[in-house]
Each structure stands twice: as C-alpha cells, then as structure tokens.
Amino acid sequence: MDTNATPVHLVTADPPAKGKKQGGSLWLYAVVRLLLIIPTIFILTTLVFILMRLTGDPITAAMGGRLSAAELAQRVHAAGYDRPMITQYLQYLGHTFTGNFGTTMSDNRPVTQILTTYGAATLELAFYSLIVAFVVGIPLGMIAAYYRDKGQDAWLRVFAILWYATPVFFSGLLLKLVFSIWLGWLPVAGRATTGSEITLQFLPHRTNIYLIDALRTGNVSIVWDVLQHAVLPAVALGLLTAGIFLRLVRANVIGTLSTDYVEAARSRGVGEFRLVRKHAYRPALIPIITVMGLQIALLLGGAVLTETTFEWRGLGFELVQYLDARDFVAVQGIVILLAIIVAVTNFIVDLVAALIDPRVRY
Amino acid sequence: MGRSSTRSISTRRRRIWDRLPIVSHLRQSVGVQRWMLVTGLILTGGFLLTALLAPLIAPYGHAQLGDSKGSFGVQQPPSAQHWLGTTVGGYDVLSRVIWGSQTAIVVIVVAVILSIFAGVLLGLVSGYFGGWLDRVLVMICDAVYAFPSLLLAIVMSIVISGGQSSLVGGILAAASSITVVFIPQYFRVIRAETVGIKAEAFVESAKVIGASPWRIMFRHVLRNSTRTLPLIFTLNASEAILTLAGLGFLGFGIEPSAASEWGYDLNKSLSDVTSGIWWTCLFPGLAIVLTVFGVTLVGESLNELGDPRLRGRKAVAADSAKVTLGAALLADDAAGVLGTHPDGRPEND
C-alpha cells in the first residue's frame, strides 16, 4: 500500500508543486512569464480588430463622403476589405506578427514608421515624467508613512488625492498659464523651437529622442532648449503618477515599519532616517515595483492627454490626429503598439521583482 | 462607545442604522479620517445638489448664446452679468459648469449600473462554475485590465458613435466606453468573493437541499459578495468622471449644443490659454477636480474604515503587504486586490 501510494502522490502533486518550489530558476520564471505575454497581446489585438471592424471597413470610414459609391467599392475591393472577416483577421494577425501594421489612409505612410518616429517621443516623455514621479513620490511617501496619522501625513495624503483628482490636461493648462504665459519662463508647447527642430532633423541616424539627439549635436543651446520644452509636460504627467507612488510607498512602508525587525533595529540604536530608508523601505519594494508596473498603462493613457495639451508630437498626439481623420489603420497600429508596450513593461517589472525576491519565482 | 450605547437601547435600530454604509462609517471614524470623510461628503453632496438644482441655479441654458439684450459676446472676462465670463463659443461659463454636473452624473450612473450588471453577472458565473469558461474570462479581463483605459474608451466610443455624438448617443457612448473599462474590476472582485463563498457550508447545504445553481448564485453567493461594492462604486465614480473628461478633451465628447461637458470645454479652452484667457479653463477644470476629489475622499475613507487593519493605529501585521496594497491603490487597482483580502468573509463582520 505504502509503496503504491508514494508514486501516485508524487505524480499527482508534482505539477502544482513546481510552482511552490522555493528559489526556483530565474530563467524558467522568465520564460514562463514571457510565454504568458503572448495570450495577452493576442487577446488585445483580437479585441481591437473586432471592435474597429464593427464600425465597417477603414476605407469607407476615411473616405466616406468624398468618393462615389463605385469608386469606394473599388478601393474597398482593391484593399481586400470585402473578403470574409475571418480571412482578413488571419491575414491581419499574420501581418501584425511580422511587424507589418499596414499603411495609413490619410497620409499614406507605413504605420511602422509612425510608430518608431513618434514612439521615441512618447518614451522620452514617459521617462521624464517617471523621474519626476520617483523624485517626488517616493521620499514623500516615506515621510507620510513615518508621520502616520499626524499632520504631515494628512497633508501629504490630501495632496496625493488632489493630484489624482486633477486631470493631467487641466494641470497642464494651469502650468502653461502660469509658467509660460504669465511668468514667461518656459515655452508654451512643442518639443523644441523651430530652429532646433530643423537642426535635429538633419542629424544623421537620429534617434528622435530629442535629448540624445541634442546632446549629439554638441550644441548647448539646443540641449537647453529641448530640456526647457520638456519641463512642463514632464511635471504635469509626473505629478499624476507621483500621487500614486506616494500612496503606494506610504501604505507599504507603514506595513513594514511596524514589524518586529524594525523594532529590533530601533532598539539596537539604528537612526530613524536609516530605519525608514533601509529597514522599512527595502522590504516594501516588491509590492511597490509590481504596482508601479501597472501604472505604465496609466502613464501611457496620461501621455495621450499630456501630448495633446502640450502639442508634444508623440504617439498620443498622432493618435488623436488620426482619430480626427478617421484613419483607423493608423489608430489600430498605435493602439496595438501601446498594448504591447504595456505587456512588455509588465513582464520586465515581474522579472525585476523576481530578481530582487527569490520567493516570487516559480 | 456610541455604538454600544445604541445597541443597549434597541438592537433593531442599531442594525438598520449600522447597515447604512456612510452613516456607520462616519461614526467609526476619528481624527484625520473623519475629516477626510466629512470633506468628501460635503463636496460630493455639493456636486449632487448642483446637478439636481441645475435648472434653478444656472443663470442661462447650457447652449444659450444670448438673451433679450443681445448675444453674450465671445471670451468676455468675468463680469456682473457673466460671473465666470464667456467661452470662445460665446457660452456663459458658469452655466456650462453647472449644467456639466448633470451630464457627469448621468454618465456615472449609466456607466456604473451597466458595469455592475455585466461585471457582477460575469464574475458570479465565472467564479461559481469555474472550469475553462472561468479561465478564458479571467484571461480576457486581465488583458483588458492591463490596457490603458483611456485608449480602450476611445476605441469603444469610435465603435458606438463613430466619434460624433447626439445627446443620448453621446452619453451612452461615453458611459459604455467607461463600462468596458470597469467590467474587469467588478468581475475580479465578485469572482474572488464567489470563489471563497462557494466553499462555505451554507452553499454546500443549499446544494444538498437541491437548490438550482442560479438560485444559489443570486440568493446565497451574491448577497454575501456585495460587501465591497460601495467602495468600488465610489472609486469608479471618480474614475468615470476623469475618463469622461478625458474623452471630451480628446474630442469624443458630447456636442456643446446637446449638453454641457467639462472635458469638452477644457479642450476648447486650449487655445484661449495661449492668449492668457484663464476663466474658460479654470472653472470647468476646478469642477472636475473638486468633484473627483470629493468622491475619492469618500471612497478612500470607506476603504480604510472597512479594513480593521487600517482603521486604527494598531500594529500592522507583517504579512499585510497585500492588504496595504489595497489601500494604496486608487480606483484602478483597489478593486482587484480587495478581492484577495484574507479576512474577506462576511461572517467576520
């Protein structure tokens, strides 16, 4: 009986036990996690395809009023939009898989080119605002946690909620009004002045990340110009995220601050600053990092609004232009690219979490 | 203290009194938490009153361009006649702001009702029956949940209205765009609760008696899993206002002649700002901020008061990472994590 029971137990319990194994291989975790991205992206591409096609084909949407019925039918036929939906879907999946997102209706450019050109701008903006969010959100969150339920904490939390409650385009408008119009310190909109833009256009192998390009020109005034243009959008978008970071850090550090080992460290005479900075903050990092990963989606959504407010020519700004032009091929491409960015960021975030904490691994 | 005294007077009264969510929370709260809850309630109440009394307090109609003395004029600064000035389209800003609260409330109500209905139903079915349906739904909801909600709302509003909107069409489009974003949240919370409650003894006994799955789901499981809904409702209401404003700002809003919408007005004020005209953007924006601020404060307080570990200053257990996470996240994440509270059984209450 006993000899019989053991293998049965092993066979049935083995697959789930794999997930519970402590400190498993990081590589295995990375591979499994990477494979899990595929269904996510697949679902989103399918969803977007179905939703966009519910409205009809892109050619009718874009050219509806401007062409005669016969011309329209001809163009629809030429582009293959009159074939069965399933054929179109499979072809679309294949194209997306190979990185071919089609050609835009309104200005006849390959969507891939739009994505690389303007994606860089959006990444640049997201990067700046993340810096703002980290610099503002994390220290303030630690302060709030340390002074829990006292005056400082109450004010910081109210501010965090206020930041959340302020739509990024409204804070953007206010910042613009105060710092660009009334004080005249910073430029109103755009990514650089026309002069700098032209210089950057002619740079060979440009990355379209203006700061890098500007640094490569070696021209200090262009670098300064680019940085000046980035301040307001980065602050507007960064503060939105900073509010969330603040709350996140606060809640998690409160959790670790009241643990026994922090108490033990305090009784050993560890300074209060070090207590918060090292003993309480470090273990709170895992949930913080995981949730920060989820904020990428929020950040990208916010980027669409911020770019529109500041005429920052990134993916979000272009998305709105193409939406206005009813150019759904371009819209579909941009939306899917953003979905992929979100999925990949979440993957990276999970990987970082696994690197820091072996318990997360499979 | 107040609770025990009422309990001794009449158990029946205490129970009804206690079951009103906001009132009982207000009595539990102390210090900063009470202040936050009261401020939130005042702001939310102000918003609701404005929406309700809009026809009485708004000096002009939302699409009114002039009165008996002639047209209002374009981009007029605040004056006795137009307290908050006029917009680039020649509307009265104050009236637009007041009427805007009505649009916001209609959209919130429609959106939240739609998403509660769909999300709860899906969550119940998915959690109760399990199996492949559950896996597929969870996967779809996770994928949608990870997607930037504003983009999803944009795609939805294209589908529903093709981008241009009448009054009913516009409100429906905005509401259902927001719904799609919210369904995964309700789904996750209800599903998590259902999975837990499904294993309880009373469900087991209902099964033994021979109750049908639907009866068990709606009578036994649903009644016990709605505990967190008021909280998600407030969090989602604030997100709904922001999403509506975002859609309006990107030009997917409701036409100004159909209804007044804060986000749309902010979009129109974009060019005003460059010429130093501040009143067209400041007031609709403030309306959004105050409303969302108020509703979020209420939701935040409900969240903390509903969680004993965050209520007082008692020590937080070491394993509270998940719980504190729930408190840390705003509208978009609280819902998902709340479902995983270890003390989530209603029997504890």
Side-chain angles (χ1 to χ4, degrees):
Chain A
M1 280 284 271
D2 225 42
T3 45
N4 219 3
T6 322
V8 169
H9 165 79
L10 268 182
V11 166
T12 51
D14 211 16
K18 243 181 200 164
K20 297 263 155 53
K21 216 192 286 173
Q22 290 254 318
S25 138
L26 185 61
W27 283 110
L28 178 70
Y29 179 78
V31 169
V32 172
R33 192 59 193 73
L34 189 65
L35 289 176
L36 280 176
I37 294 186
I38 295 168
T40 309
I41 293 175
F42 172 75
I43 290 170
L44 285 177
T45 29
T46 310
L47 196 72
V48 171
F49 177 85
I50 294 173
L51 288 176
M52 298 302 275
R53 265 332 135 73
L54 279 177
T55 48
D57 68 274
I59 292 181
T60 316
M63 311 286 176
R66 281 174 273 169
L67 294 176
S68 71
E71 270 181 300
L72 206 62
Q74 193 201 343
R75 288 198 50 177
V76 168
H77 180 74
Y81 287 122
D82 54 351
R83 290 172 302 160
M85 206 51 97
I86 186 76
T87 324
Q88 290 184 45
Y89 171 64
L90 289 176
Q91 190 196 17
Y92 157 79
L93 267 191
H95 279 171
T96 308
F97 188 69
T98 50
N100 174 2
F101 289 96
T103 314
T104 62
M105 296 282 142
S106 44
D107 47 8
N108 210 25
R109 291 162 64 187
V111 175
T112 333
Q113 187 200 333
I114 295 173
L115 298 182
T116 47
T117 317
Y118 298 113
T122 300
L123 280 185
E124 193 179 4
L125 176 62
F127 180 72
Y128 292 147
S129 48
L130 268 181
I131 293 180
V132 173
F134 280 126
V135 168
V136 175
I138 293 179
L140 289 185
M142 286 197 246
I143 292 174
Y146 187 74
Y147 294 105
R148 183 180 181 197
D149 291 343
K150 299 213 182 84
Q152 294 93 326
D153 177 34
W155 281 112
L156 282 174
R157 290 173 63 202
V158 168
F159 269 113
I161 298 177
L162 256 183
W163 282 335
Y164 165 78
T166 312
V168 62
F169 45 91
F170 180 53
S171 54
L173 281 172
L174 289 184
L175 286 172
K176 233 167 140 168
L177 198 62
V178 174
F179 292 101
S180 311
I181 310 292
W182 288 346
L183 297 174
W185 290 352
L186 292 162
V188 179
R191 294 178 65 195
T193 50
T194 322
S196 314
E197 289 257 13
I198 291 169
T199 319
L200 292 175
Q201 288 300 332
F202 288 108
L203 203 68
H205 310 294
R206 59 202 189 93
T207 55
N208 218 40
I209 295 174
Y210 275 18
L211 185 60
I212 295 178
D213 288 348
L215 285 172
R216 278 174 50 209
T217 60
N219 186 334
V220 180
S221 66
I222 293 184
V223 176
W224 181 235
D225 180 48
V226 166
L227 282 178
Q228 271 192 321
H229 278 84
V231 172
L232 290 184
V235 169
L237 186 53
L239 284 188
L240 174 78
T241 327
I244 292 165
F245 284 12
L246 190 161
R247 299 156 56 83
L248 192 63
V249 170
R250 174 188 178 271
N252 283 290
V253 170
I254 280 180
T256 46
L257 257 182
S258 54
T259 50
D260 294 340
Y261 66 84
V262 170
E263 208 51 45
R266 183 177 277 134
S267 58
R268 282 203 310 274
V270 174
E272 292 294 307
F273 179 76
R274 198 182 153 80
L275 217 54
V276 176
R277 185 69 193 79
K278 293 263 188 272
H279 295 255
Y281 177 60
R282 280 283 169 82
L285 261 178
I286 300 282
I288 292 174
I289 289 175
T290 315
V291 179
M292 278 177 184
L294 290 176
Q295 300 312 322
I296 295 296
L298 184 84
L299 193 72
L300 286 178
V304 175
L305 296 168
T306 315
E307 285 174 10
T308 310
T309 317
F310 289 100
E311 287 164 45
W312 182 278
R313 290 182 63 93
L315 278 186
F317 184 79
E318 292 301 311
L319 178 71
V320 175
Q321 306 299 314
Y322 285 120
L323 278 169
D324 280 345
R326 309 238 160 284
D327 186 337
F328 293 156
V329 177
V331 171
Q332 197 167 299
I334 294 176
V335 166
I336 285 169
L337 181 84
L338 290 175
I340 293 174
I341 292 180
V342 171
V344 171
T345 333
N346 283 339
F347 164 68
I348 296 172
V349 165
D350 280 354
L351 213 58
V352 171
L355 261 176
I356 298 177
D357 184 356
R359 283 174 302 179
V360 179
R361 295 173 202 168
Y362 286 122
Chain B
M1 283 167 272
R3 283 178 78 179
S4 57
S5 63
T6 33
R7 181 181 298 164
S8 61
I9 297 167
S10 147
T11 41
R12 190 177 155 70
R13 232 186 89 207
R14 186 195 69 84
R15 277 180 61 199
I16 294 170
W17 191 236
D18 237 19
R19 267 155 63 179
L20 292 173
I22 305 282
V23 178
S24 65
H25 284 110
L26 199 55
R27 306 176 108 232
Q28 283 176 12
S29 57
V30 282
V32 178
Q33 269 169 354
R34 167 165 276 183
W35 183 86
M36 279 169 61
L37 183 56
V38 169
T39 315
L41 286 176
I42 291 172
L43 285 173
T44 314
F47 164 64
L48 292 178
L49 270 182
T50 313
L52 206 67
L53 302 178
L56 295 176
I57 51 177
Y60 306 102
H62 64 81
Q64 198 174 336
L65 289 164
D67 53 12
S68 52
K69 286 177 225 147
S71 75
F72 292 157
V74 170
Q75 297 176 327
Q76 294 298 311
S79 62
Q81 217 191 352
H82 301 287
W83 290 1
L84 306 182
T86 61
T87 69
V88 66
Y91 303 116
D92 178 56
V93 174
L94 178 62
S95 310
R96 295 279 301 171
V97 170
I98 292 174
W99 286 105
S101 63
Q102 240 179 19
T103 314
I105 220 158
V106 171
V107 170
I108 294 172
V109 169
V110 175
V112 175
I113 287 178
L114 281 178
S115 41
I116 286 186
F117 193 72
V120 167
L121 193 70
L122 286 174
L124 266 182
V125 170
S126 181
Y128 189 76
F129 290 117
W132 63 268
L133 179 75
D134 182 40
R135 280 187 207 168
V136 170
L137 281 176
V138 167
M139 200 172 251
I140 293 179
C141 279
D142 278 354
V144 171
Y145 185 67
F147 198 62
S149 54
L150 187 68
L151 289 186
L152 201 62
I154 291 173
V155 173
M156 278 309 290
S157 70
I158 294 177
V159 173
I160 291 165
S161 62
Q164 71 275 99
S165 350
S166 60
L167 175 59
V168 179
I171 287 179
L172 266 183
S176 29
S177 323
I178 297 166
T179 300
V180 178
V181 178
F182 286 168
I183 286 178
Q185 301 184 6
Y186 287 98
F187 171 83
R188 284 167 71 152
V189 174
I190 296 294
R191 182 188 166 276
E193 293 265 359
T194 306
V195 167
I197 294 168
K198 194 169 73 168
E200 297 285 343
F202 61 87
V203 174
E204 202 71 22
S205 33
K207 268 188 204 157
V208 173
I209 294 171
S212 74
W214 293 101
R215 190 186 157 83
I216 296 176
M217 268 195 279
F218 286 103
R219 275 205 86 79
H220 303 287
V221 179
L222 180 61
R223 295 248 177 121
N224 284 305
S225 58
T226 51
R227 198 175 47 95
T228 44
L229 284 187
L231 165 65
I232 313 173
F233 177 85
T234 52
L235 291 177
N236 276 358
S238 58
E239 211 192 332
I241 301 170
L242 288 177
T243 311
L244 175 68
L247 280 177
F249 182 73
L250 292 178
F252 286 90
I254 297 150
E255 290 296 311
S257 49
S260 166
E261 203 273 303
W262 297 330
Y264 180 90
D265 288 357
L266 277 173
N267 174 278
K268 291 293 143 196
S269 74
L270 204 54
S271 48
D272 295 353
V273 166
T274 340
S275 35
I277 296 169
W278 50 272
W279 56 90
T280 50
C281 79
L282 184 65
F283 300 110
L286 276 183
I288 301 175
V289 173
L290 288 179
T291 311
V292 178
F293 186 57
V295 177
T296 314
L297 276 179
V298 174
E300 175 85 350
S301 313
L302 292 188
N303 184 19
E304 295 206 346
L305 295 170
D307 188 335
R309 264 161 288 208
L310 292 166
R311 199 184 293 144
R313 283 215 50 172
K314 285 174 217 153
V316 182
D319 63 337
S320 63
K322 268 185 185 163
V323 181
T324 43
L325 257 179
L329 308 185
L330 272 169
D332 46 344
D333 295 309
V337 187
L338 271 172
T340 65
H341 274 195
D343 63 335
R345 299 290 71 77
E347 282 82 356
N348 296 352
D349 288 352

